[in-house]
Amino acid sequence: MKQINKFQVKSIKKGTIIDHIPIKMGIKLLSLFELNNSSQNIIIGLNLPSVLIGYKDLIKINNTFINQDQVNQLAVYTPDATVNYIEEYKVISKITPSLPDFVKNIIICPNDNCISRSELKFSKFRIISKNKLSKYLKCIYCEREFARHLMSIK
Ligand SMILES: [Zn+2]
């Protein structure tokens, strides 16, 4: 237990900590938020032991506060993630993602014939069920509905 805390508490002076990310999602979130192109100092923890969810990923972004819209996009993948804003090594606020109305450009439409795949190279879905366990999204281009767990991330 002590070991776990030591690693996780080692903090950043100012910025964002995204915690309780399901394993294998950490890397995906980096590209989702284009953090792989960021010049900021970023610390990623993969497969860390977690009391809450068994194992988790963790991302610390120095000098950057991700905005509410980005936090909400997080909810599509990681509804149980927590986002902490840090100032002077202290948590100044904690945000739990809530599902946005629309998800833009991060999920691929499962419909092979959808114009969003062939021509637009851009996707947009409306979230039609906000139940965490059974999320359904509707493509605004082909108007088909899909269960979230059947969809892949760009
Ligand atoms: Zn579509």
Side-chain angles (χ1 to χ4, degrees), residues 36 60 83 91:
N36 40 0
K60 298 180 181 183
V83 178
V91 177

Side-chain angles (χ1 to χ4, degrees), residues 31-124:
S31 57
L32 170 63
F33 291 143
E34 295 182 340
L35 295 173
N36 40 0
N37 296 324
S38 166
S39 56
Q40 290 302 335
N41 176 324
I42 295 170
I43 301 163
I44 321 168
L46 301 177
N47 302 314
L48 305 176
S50 159
V51 179
L52 284 183
I53 56 174
Y55 288 91
K56 67 176 183 182
D57 290 349
L58 175 86
I59 300 174
K60 298 180 181 183
I61 313 153
N62 219 12
N63 289 320
T64 302
F65 295 106
I66 63 171
N67 62 39
Q68 184 68 49
D69 190 43
Q70 289 176 308
V71 173
N72 290 346
Q73 298 285 317
L74 254 183
V76 180
Y77 308 103
T78 65
D80 299 315
T82 47
V83 178
N84 299 299
Y85 294 143
I86 309 294
E87 284 269 21
E88 292 300 319
Y89 300 100
K90 289 195 184 107
V91 177
I92 53 162
S93 79
K94 222 181 226 305
I95 301 177
T96 320
S98 63
L99 282 171
D101 294 328
F102 290 96
V103 182
K104 283 167 264 175
N105 212 26
I106 47 185
I107 297 175
I108 302 166
C109 182
N111 172 8
D112 286 333
N113 299 318
C114 180
I115 192 171
S116 74
R117 288 178 54 161
S118 55
E119 290 175 35
L120 301 174
K121 314 280 182 211
F122 180 87
S123 72
K124 187 171 176 182

Side-chain angles (χ1 to χ4, degrees), residues 109 111 114-116 125 139 141-144 146:
C109 182
N111 172 8
C114 180
I115 192 171
S116 74
F125 291 87
C139 176
Y141 297 105
C142 66
E143 302 204 314
R144 290 208 200 166
F146 304 96

